[in-house]
Amino acid sequence: MNHRFFLRICLAIGLFIGFCWGENQTRIATAQQIKVEADSRYGGVTWMQNSAEYRLLTRQTYRLALAQLSIGSQDRKWSADEAQIVAGGFEQKSPAIILDIDETVLDNSAFNARNIVQGKQYTTESWNAWCQEGRADAIPGALEFVKGAEGLGVTVFYLTNRVDEVKVATIKNLNELGFAATDENVLTSNEAAGRGDDKVSRRALVGEQHRIVMLVGDSMSDLCSGMDVPNTKRRNEVAAEKVDLLGSRWIVLPNPVYGGWQRGLPKAEQALHTKLK
């Protein structure tokens, strides 16, 4: 074997080994840098995924909601939609309920857990990819509630800020979990088509033919307008004005991981209250 050729072979092997070692060290260093417990989402996600209390709380919420629905579905003067209440003329319409999807019907905690483990933040692209996977589980109690509503003769609508491009995958995910989701009762978002994130226009579409008996969501923006403001004080003022509707016509589920409440938080320790009022 030519001496120079032999040296070149040895050099190439050495470079390859060095490259592989460097890649491995980079992966180890990256893993060490990701301290999952320091992630602000860690407590909320682990509570949702592991605690008995979360499961009991969502089941309790849905059981109480069904009891209220059995009353409201029979009361023709009962509506949960503020615009419909103001407009009137809904008494002879057939009853319907509107549910948000994410963290209300579908549990996406695995998506957030992945991001924590990988040291990544939410992006529209990664969220849509997760939706396309169609692997979300059902929120405990949600399916029993929906089946109970259907048994009362109430039409079920799912109003979500998931976009049109993931609608087919979302319907498939819901169907596989036992929800009777269709192209007609799953109302996705499309800003360009006038179906914005505020959900008002899509609730109005449902209200054209139905008396909206109940709204269910994990955020106040699922229930009313005026909550998409980056101001915690104002959000709480709006919520206080609506308290009479809560627990009867409006049903709220817990979501400690994300939501409109985060955008209004004061910075750092200013969001912590060390003294009770």
Side-chain angles (χ1 to χ4, degrees):
M1 179 183 292
N2 183 284
H3 182 65
R4 290 184 178 179
F5 180 74
F6 177 75
L7 288 176
R8 288 175 183 172
I9 292 294
C10 291
L11 179 61
I13 292 173
L15 289 171
F16 177 75
I17 292 173
F19 175 78
C20 292
W21 183 85
E23 284 276 290
N24 186 55
Q25 290 301 109
T26 299
R27 283 195 292 268
I28 292 172
T30 301
Q32 290 173 342
Q33 290 169 5
I34 299 173
K35 298 186 182 300
V36 296
E37 293 183 11
D39 192 297
S40 62
R41 300 164 292 186
Y42 180 82
V45 172
T46 54
W47 182 68
M48 289 179 68
Q49 292 192 325
N50 296 281
S51 74
E53 289 81 1
Y54 174 71
R55 288 159 178 75
L56 289 173
L57 183 56
T58 58
R59 289 187 184 280
Q60 171 184 264
T61 300
Y62 272 122
R63 286 181 182 177
L64 295 173
L66 187 59
Q68 291 297 315
L69 183 60
S70 65
I71 299 171
S73 62
Q74 302 301 315
D75 184 350
R76 293 189 176 276
K77 296 181 180 180
W78 179 304
S79 174
D81 184 70
E82 291 184 303
Q84 188 170 66
I85 293 170
V86 171
F90 55 81
E91 292 82 2
Q92 300 307 312
K93 295 179 179 180
S94 60
I97 58 173
I98 299 176
L99 297 98
D100 171 53
I101 289 182
D102 297 309
E103 278 47 77
T104 299
V105 175
L106 292 182
D107 174 1
N108 301 288
S109 61
F111 167 73
N112 293 298
R114 285 185 192 177
N115 284 341
I116 293 171
V117 171
Q118 296 171 6
K120 296 179 179 178
Q121 295 299 314
Y122 170 95
T123 66
T124 300
E125 293 73 22
S126 64
W127 169 250
N128 287 341
W130 161 258
C131 294
Q132 293 286 15
E133 285 185 43
R135 298 177 64 185
D137 204 352
I139 295 292
L143 183 59
E144 293 85 349
F145 170 74
V146 168
K147 295 294 186 184
E150 292 169 344
L152 292 171
V154 176
T155 303
V156 179
F157 288 90
Y158 303 94
L159 203 164
T160 176
N161 282 341
R162 291 188 176 204
V163 293
D164 289 353
E165 66 186 86
V166 301
K167 182 172 184 176
V168 171
T170 300
I171 291 172
K172 184 174 183 289
N173 193 168
L174 288 166
N175 289 163
E176 289 176 348
L177 294 171
F179 298 94
T182 66
D183 187 63
E184 289 73 31
N185 71 0
V186 175
L187 309 177
T188 46
S189 175
N190 185 326
E191 197 74 43
R195 291 180 272 117
D197 289 352
D198 62 4
K199 300 189 174 182
V200 172
S201 60
R202 286 172 284 164
R203 280 201 295 268
L205 287 174
V206 175
E208 288 178 1
Q209 303 295 326
H210 297 85
R211 175 169 59 89
I212 302 172
V213 181
M214 184 171 284
L215 300 173
V216 187
D218 65 297
S219 170
M220 283 294 289
S221 60
D222 296 324
L223 314 175
C224 65
S225 300
M227 296 301 291
D228 290 327
V229 292
N231 185 303
T232 295
K233 183 174 182 294
R234 181 54 190 154
R235 294 185 87 254
N236 279 290
E237 287 173 349
V238 173
E241 294 167 2
K242 315 291 185 179
V243 71
D244 289 344
L245 294 168
L246 293 173
S248 57
R249 305 176 194 208
W250 291 0
I251 303 298
V252 183
L253 284 95
N255 179 359
V257 183
Y258 67 90
W261 59 273
Q262 289 179 316
R263 291 191 290 274
L265 287 176
K267 294 182 179 180
E269 69 275 4
Q270 294 177 23
L272 298 170
H273 305 287
T274 58
K275 295 182 179 180
L276 297 177
K277 294 180 179 179

